[in-house]
Amino acid sequence: MISVVIPTHNRCDLLPRAIRSVQEQTIKDLEIIVVSDGSTDGTDYLMDSLKKEDSRINYIAYHPGHNGNFARNTGIKAAKGEYIAFLDDDDEWLPTKLDEQLKIMNSDDNIGLVYTGTHVIYADEGVDYPSISNISGDLSVKILWANCVGSTTTVMVRKSILEVVGLFDEKLPALQDYDLWIRICQVATVGVVPKELVDYYNYSNSGQVSSNTKKYEEAFAYLNNKYTNLYNRFSKREKKLHQSDIKIALGERNIRNGKSKEARQLFVESMRIKVQRKAIVAFICSFIPYKFLIRLKACKYK
């Protein structure tokens, strides 16, 4: 059985769409664990109704709210399935997602995580484009450079792997998915379904964690300290590149959040550590409004 964990907070307008996409999966042997992290918007009433329609739904609610990490961990602890898949309350899956992931998972006992491609949607801007990767196998080193797996909403993991590496780190203000993938990649290989099987939504002024650059700065610092033993394996040159990459990632986050001046400062700091072509390109792009940048990116796939 597959346990699907959906954390939610005051999204009763979007939550039904996410749940419906799970109910429409071609695999029916599953449970749907919805964890309400202090919701006050009528989510309780919504879930009371949905539970009556589908016995596979397990609804857990608590007050006050903690955070998404706590909610996901609550769902994992309640899960009965051999596999666990995560879905954010504002995203949705295509019907064959779990089926295609399970086939990859069952093809090799060494695979502990399987992710998929996404259909990235900027709802307010009316822009969308595919994000598909073929990266798989032993990612124990590659994952230290960047989150090549992606967001939680694309991932299925073996529950037995989580029992080995632990759950989401509740101290992290952001990048909690990346942190868990780092740990999983140290003990298992990764599989991928290179198809757009997830509709991944981005909303302007939504309060999404991704809109808070400060939290990302704190998270990168936390991870550098947490995985000092892994990063110490890098050569001196690789350590410089890694620190330069972090500056670039934070700069790109600032561009997304409309803080172009702060972004340019980070790109300059990156180049002081190690001059890279992508930092120069990012610096130039910081003079272009983000909404226009995503439209340019989407044009590549038209």
Side-chain angles (χ1 to χ4, degrees), residues 29-79:
D29 184 20
L30 51 81
E31 63 174 347
I32 306 170
I33 305 172
V34 179
V35 183
S36 174
D37 186 58
S39 296
T40 57
D41 66 340
T43 297
D44 290 346
Y45 297 105
L46 168 68
M47 293 309 303
D48 282 344
S49 174
L50 294 180
K51 281 177 63 179
K52 293 175 183 177
E53 300 172 3
D54 192 336
S55 61
R56 297 174 300 174
I57 294 177
N58 176 12
Y59 179 55
I60 302 171
Y62 52 79
H63 295 271
H66 294 275
N67 55 41
N69 301 356
F70 185 91
R72 290 187 183 93
N73 287 345
T74 299
I76 292 169
K77 292 171 185 176

Side-chain angles (χ1 to χ4, degrees), residues 1-182:
M1 181 171 69
I2 300 172
S3 298
V4 179
V5 176
I6 307 176
T8 189
H9 175 72
N10 289 342
R11 288 270 183 79
C12 67
D13 55 334
L14 297 174
L15 181 59
R17 181 181 67 189
I19 294 174
R20 192 180 313 115
S21 76
V22 181
Q23 293 171 319
E24 293 174 352
Q25 290 294 299
T26 52
I27 286 183
K28 302 302 180 184
D29 184 20
L30 51 81
E31 63 174 347
I32 306 170
I33 305 172
V34 179
V35 183
S36 174
D37 186 58
S39 296
T40 57
D41 66 340
T43 297
D44 290 346
Y45 297 105
L46 168 68
M47 293 309 303
D48 282 344
S49 174
L50 294 180
K51 281 177 63 179
K52 293 175 183 177
E53 300 172 3
D54 192 336
S55 61
R56 297 174 300 174
I57 294 177
N58 176 12
Y59 179 55
I60 302 171
Y62 52 79
H63 295 271
H66 294 275
N67 55 41
N69 301 356
F70 185 91
R72 290 187 183 93
N73 287 345
T74 299
I76 292 169
K77 292 171 185 176
K80 300 175 183 177
E82 180 181 357
Y83 308 99
I84 298 179
F86 304 101
L87 175 59
D88 288 349
D89 57 6
D90 56 344
D91 296 328
E92 61 183 325
W93 293 339
L94 271 64
T96 63
K97 176 186 179 287
L98 294 181
D99 197 355
E100 297 196 49
Q101 285 181 294
L102 189 59
K103 289 176 182 176
I104 298 292
M105 190 78 80
N106 288 337
S107 69
D108 186 346
D109 291 339
N110 293 316
I111 295 177
L113 179 156
V114 179
Y115 70 102
T116 75
T118 62
H119 175 210
V120 180
I121 302 170
Y122 286 84
D124 299 319
E125 290 79 12
V127 178
D128 65 285
Y129 56 83
S131 178
I132 298 175
S133 170
N134 284 299
I135 299 173
S136 62
D138 178 1
L139 304 185
S140 57
V141 175
K142 191 180 291 289
I143 194 69
L144 298 177
W145 288 95
N147 184 0
C148 47
V149 171
S151 73
T152 52
T153 207
T154 73
V155 167
M156 175 193 289
V157 298
R158 295 185 194 270
K159 188 177 183 181
S160 59
I161 291 292
L162 296 178
E163 292 169 351
V164 172
V165 304
L167 308 183
F168 289 96
D169 188 335
E170 295 174 16
K171 295 179 182 179
L172 266 170
L175 301 176
Q176 60 269 20
D177 49 359
Y178 180 38
D179 167 64
L180 183 55
W181 310 159
I182 289 174

